[in-house]
Each structure stands twice: as structure tokens, then as C-alpha cells.
Amino acid sequence: MNSHVVVGDPAPTIDLETADGDKWRLSDHLGRPVLLIFHRHIH
Amino acid sequence: MRDRLGEFGNDAAIALITFAEADNSAPYRSRMDLPFPMLVDTARETYRSYGLERGSFRRIWGPKTAKRYIEIFRANGISRPGRPTEDTLQLGGNFVIDRRGTITYAFRGRGPDERPDVGELINAIQDAGP
């Protein structure tokens, strides 16, 4: 089992591409509240 | 969620993360007309770093899931879904991060039927805003 990040922890880094090919980094959004929605599979 | 998007506040950043290949996610994006970016993480490294694991086959494909899918298909008018091509056991979740980069809300679903209420997410993002 992973050691889960919990409330109060620093958010793990995110550096991904969007489906449109743009870069999206969590660090670029410091100063704003962020909602991350991790999707399950797409059918 | 779309109907209540304004309640999240203009300042909030929202991102959907998927592990689906771009070819598979394109029809979903088109159908849903997402008003926020879809991030692609086919390696699922981000899923792992946020502690989102794979569920058990019995839990994922049990009666609660069947009930949930019936509700979704009724609501969306989808009578015959396509066959899943991705790992159907991968679990999802929701996280809110405050302005300083600290996690202030974490929800990890144990199955497809477990999702937070939109109002709960709105409260979480509003609490993270100050």
C-alpha cells in the first residue's frame, strides 16, 4: 500500500500535458485554490 | 457539476486528470464539452503520488457499480456504453489544494459509486480560498 498524502501535506508535484498538448503544472497555480478530479476509466 | 461551476469561484483552478490515451479520451471530451483542462497521465504517476490505487474486482464490478451505471445511463441517455479499454480497476479521487500548495481536502473513492457531492467540493474549494 502507498503511503498516502493526507490533508495538511504539501501537494505532490504535477507536471503533465493537457489533451490539447499544453503544459499544465500545479506550481503555476500557486496563489489560487485548485480542485483536482482524478478520473477513473473512460467508457 | 457544470450547473454549479460558478459556485467554485472565478479564482479557482479546476483540472480533470485521466490515464486514458488521447485517442480514447477525445470522444469523452467532445461529449462532455469540459470547461476546464483535461490532463493526460497515461503512466499514472500522478495517481500513485496522490495515493490512488487499484480497487478489487469484486468491489469495482459489484451491485453498487451496476446501480451507479444505471443511474448515469438514465441521466445521460446512454443506452449501450462502449467496452472499456482502460484499466477499470483504477480508482479515482478528488483533492483540493490551497493557495500555498497544501492539501486541504482529500477524497479517495473505493469504487465507482463513491464520489463526493458537488456541494462538498464547493465548500472545500471555498474553504481553501482565503
Side-chain angles (χ1 to χ4, degrees):
Chain A
M1 177 170 288
N2 292 335
S3 56
H4 291 170
V5 290
V6 296
V7 169
D9 285 350
T13 304
I14 298 179
D15 185 349
L16 294 170
E17 276 196 4
T18 71
D20 295 321
D22 299 321
K23 276 282 188 189
W24 196 99
R25 296 182 187 89
L26 183 59
S27 57
D28 290 341
H29 298 276
L30 277 173
R32 304 172 66 187
V34 177
L35 170 63
L36 301 174
I37 306 166
F38 286 83
H39 209 278
R40 292 184 63 252
H41 71 92
I42 290 172
H43 48 76
Chain B
M1 182 170 168
R2 180 189 303 275
D3 296 342
R4 302 184 64 181
L5 208 55
E7 295 179 57
F8 285 90
N10 294 332
D11 194 30
I14 302 175
L16 178 78
I17 303 169
T18 178
F19 59 90
E21 297 285 349
D23 287 350
N24 290 340
S25 63
Y28 177 84
R29 290 177 58 219
S30 175
R31 188 170 75 238
M32 299 303 287
D33 191 22
L34 295 174
F36 38 77
M38 175 186 272
L39 315 183
V40 180
D41 179 19
T42 53
R44 285 185 262 179
E45 289 178 5
T46 314
Y47 282 76
R48 285 191 286 276
S49 66
Y50 280 79
L52 296 168
E53 301 171 345
R54 297 178 79 229
S56 71
F57 185 88
R58 178 178 291 197
R59 178 66 182 82
I60 299 293
W61 290 107
K64 286 183 178 177
T65 301
K67 181 173 179 285
R68 173 70 182 161
Y69 271 77
I70 289 169
E71 290 170 357
I72 291 171
F73 297 152
R74 278 186 180 154
N76 296 332
I78 301 169
S79 58
R80 186 182 177 130
R83 188 178 181 84
T85 55
E86 295 92 21
D87 180 2
T88 59
L89 301 186
Q90 175 64 55
L91 297 172
N94 301 72
F95 296 84
V96 171
I97 298 159
D98 72 9
R99 296 176 190 277
R100 290 169 294 182
T102 301
I103 296 174
T104 56
Y105 173 90
F107 179 93
R108 294 180 179 89
R110 291 174 297 175
D113 55 304
E114 283 193 0
R115 295 181 187 187
D117 180 76
V118 175
E120 188 175 312
L121 296 177
I122 291 168
N123 289 339
I125 203 110
Q126 288 176 347
D127 289 347

